[in-house]
Amino acid sequence: MRGLGNQETNMASSHKESFPRGFEGKGILSAWALAFVLHGQYEVLMDTDAMRYEDGSILLQKPGILSRWRVPQDCEELTILWFIFQPYPHWRNMLVWPEVSPGYASVRLDNMAPCDKITGALLQAHELLNSHWENRVGLAMNALESALLWCQTIVKAQCQPLDPRVEAAVAYIMHHVESPIRMDDIVTATCLSRSRLNQLFTRETGMPVMAFLERERMRRAVNLLTLTSRSIKEIAQIVGYDDPCHFSRRFSLLHGKSPQAYRLGPEPGIP
C-alpha cells in the first residue's frame, strides 16, 4: 500500500506499515480513511503548515481529499495502522469529529478510560480483515463500529478542555515520554507545587501524574510488543526506561506476565 496512493475499495481494507525517517506519501481516496499512529510521528502537510500526530493519535480523512504526509526528520520510524472503508448509513453521526483542517479530523487517546477498548477494537478489525474467515468483513466492520462508538465518547469529553496547567503537564509528558522524566521536571513545566499539581491532575484525569506517565509508557510498550519485532531492551529504551530489568518488573506487575510472555500471547490493549 505504501503511503495510501490512489485507492479503490469495496467495504473495508486494513494495512499495517512502517516507514523510515523522511518518507513522504500522497494520494486521493474514494473512501473514508482512518489512520492510527502506533509508534512514531506522522505529519499531515498543508499548503503552508504541517500538523503533527504522535503515538495514540487517530486521524479521520473524508473521501476525495488529497492526502499529503511525511515522517519528520526527527522520527526514526513511523508505524501506522490504516483502515480504508465505506461506512454504513447509520455511521453518519459516528464520523462527526472536530475538524483540524478541511477534510481532516482527529482524536487522541490520552489515557482516557475507553482508549484500551478503542485500541483493542482496531487491532481486532485489522486482524479480521486480514484473516480467511468467511464473514471476516462483516465481523471487522462490527469491530470498527465499536471503535468509532468509543471514539465518540472521547470526542465529547475532549470538547470540555482540561485546566491549562494540566494540559501543560500532559504535553510535557507526551513530548518527553522516551526520556527518564522526573516529577520535578513536570512540576517545573507547570509552575505548580508538587502537591497542587498532583491534586489538580488527579481531579482532571482520574490518576496521579506519575501513574499517567507509566500508563502512557506501558501503552506504547504494548503496541511495540504486539506489532513489532524489536527486542525487550530496545522497547524499554524507546518508552523511557534505562534499565530493561526495571521495565520488565514494572510491566509484569501491571500486566501479570513478563513482556516476553505478553508478546507470545497478548490480548489487545492495557488491562
Side-chain angles (χ1 to χ4, degrees):
M1 189 161 168
R2 300 307 290 173
L4 289 182
N6 298 334
Q7 297 285 325
E8 296 292 336
T9 184
N10 293 320
M11 184 61 77
S13 62
S14 176
H15 308 264
K16 179 173 74 73
E17 296 184 287
S18 294
F19 303 95
R21 177 189 292 115
F23 183 92
E24 295 193 14
K26 67 178 180 179
I28 298 176
L29 296 170
S30 61
W32 285 79
L34 184 148
F36 182 24
V37 181
L38 298 169
H39 175 67
Q41 297 175 336
Y42 173 83
E43 283 188 339
V44 175
L45 305 176
M46 314 306 296
D47 290 338
T48 59
D49 201 1
M51 297 180 297
R52 180 172 292 203
Y53 299 91
E54 300 180 341
D55 296 18
S57 296
I58 300 177
L59 187 67
L60 191 64
Q61 179 184 328
K62 292 181 178 179
I65 301 296
L66 174 62
S67 171
R68 296 174 53 244
W69 63 273
R70 69 185 175 205
V71 182
Q73 290 297 327
D74 57 352
C75 174
E76 180 180 348
E77 185 180 64
L78 166 71
T79 302
I80 197 162
L81 194 59
W82 305 105
F83 290 92
I84 314 300
F85 62 95
Q86 298 286 1
Y88 294 126
H90 69 273
W91 286 18
R92 182 185 305 270
N93 291 336
M94 300 180 207
L95 301 174
V96 179
W97 299 4
E99 285 199 341
V100 292
S101 67
Y104 288 96
S106 70
V107 64
R108 178 163 180 82
L109 300 192
D110 286 340
N111 285 295
M112 299 182 68
C115 296
D116 304 335
K117 298 182 184 298
I118 294 169
T119 299
L122 290 177
L123 292 175
Q124 182 183 41
H126 170 70
E127 180 181 348
L128 285 165
L129 282 170
N130 291 280
S131 72
H132 299 289
W133 292 105
E134 182 179 355
N135 298 317
R136 63 188 181 86
V137 174
L139 292 167
M141 290 293 280
N142 285 344
L144 185 57
E145 179 174 343
S146 176
L148 291 172
L149 284 167
W150 282 111
C151 281
Q152 271 192 311
T153 68
I154 291 185
V155 167
K156 290 177 181 178
Q158 290 179 345
C159 289
Q160 303 172 357
L162 294 173
D163 183 288
R165 295 162 294 182
V166 174
E167 284 188 340
V170 170
Y172 185 91
I173 289 170
M174 293 303 179
H175 284 96
H176 297 85
V177 71
E178 298 179 5
S179 305
I181 304 174
R182 299 174 305 159
M183 182 66 176
D184 288 344
D185 299 324
I186 306 171
V187 166
T188 300
T190 60
C191 301
L192 291 171
S193 69
R194 178 186 290 256
S195 59
R196 177 57 177 152
L197 173 59
N198 245 335
Q199 179 187 46
L200 189 61
F201 197 97
T202 302
R203 187 185 74 192
E204 297 265 323
T205 69
M207 67 184 75
V209 175
M210 298 310 285
F212 181 95
L213 169 61
E214 184 169 60
R215 185 177 171 87
E216 175 63 18
R217 284 173 165 166
M218 292 301 167
R219 184 186 66 77
R220 297 187 185 200
V222 162
N223 283 341
L224 289 167
L225 286 166
T226 307
L227 299 163
T228 76
S229 59
R230 291 176 182 269
S231 69
I232 305 302
K233 182 178 180 180
E234 284 181 294
I235 291 173
Q237 292 175 340
I238 288 170
V239 300
Y241 290 89
D242 290 333
D243 182 357
C245 293
H246 178 58
F247 163 71
S248 293
R249 285 193 297 270
R250 293 302 303 166
F251 190 97
S252 298
L253 181 64
L254 292 170
H255 293 277
K257 60 176 72 174
S258 69
Q260 186 61 37
Y262 191 99
R263 167 171 273 166
L264 294 174
E267 296 179 358
I270 300 175

